[in-house]
Amino acid sequence: QGPLGVLPDPLPTSHTRLLTCRPATGADPAACARTILKPFVTRAFRRPATDDEIERLTRLVVEATKFGDSFERGGHASRAFG
């Protein structure tokens, strides 16, 4: 299915509620991933997320983007393995 790597414009509200930031092209996605993951994981775990948990999931996002996946796809991986 295509086109690949292209996001719809404008993004749906459901998308923007979860992905509160997007890293600039070529920028390190870690800070943005942490911003998104902290409240998401806290809510999913029903307790405050620890720094170690957020870092572990952030590394999944960063690794996914290094291997050519989009930032969004990396976010999916971190939630799947959280």
Side-chain angles (χ1 to χ4, degrees), residues 19-33 36 61 65 70-72:
L19 299 178
T20 54
C21 69
R22 291 191 71 219
T25 303
D28 180 15
C32 191
I36 293 168
V61 174
T65 59
S70 68
F71 179 76
E72 289 80 7

Side-chain angles (χ1 to χ4, degrees), residues 25-81:
T25 303
D28 180 15
C32 191
R34 283 185 202 96
T35 299
I36 293 168
L37 288 168
K38 184 77 170 182
F40 182 86
V41 172
T42 293
R43 193 164 179 185
F45 290 0
R46 297 180 185 170
R47 62 167 173 76
T50 67
D51 290 340
D52 288 341
E53 291 165 335
I54 298 303
E55 285 308 309
R56 181 173 50 88
L57 296 170
T58 297
R59 282 193 303 273
L60 286 172
V61 174
V62 171
E63 287 302 310
T65 59
K66 283 181 184 176
F67 287 101
D69 281 333
S70 68
F71 179 76
E72 289 80 7
R73 179 70 82 187
H76 292 300
S78 70
R79 289 188 297 277
F81 293 107

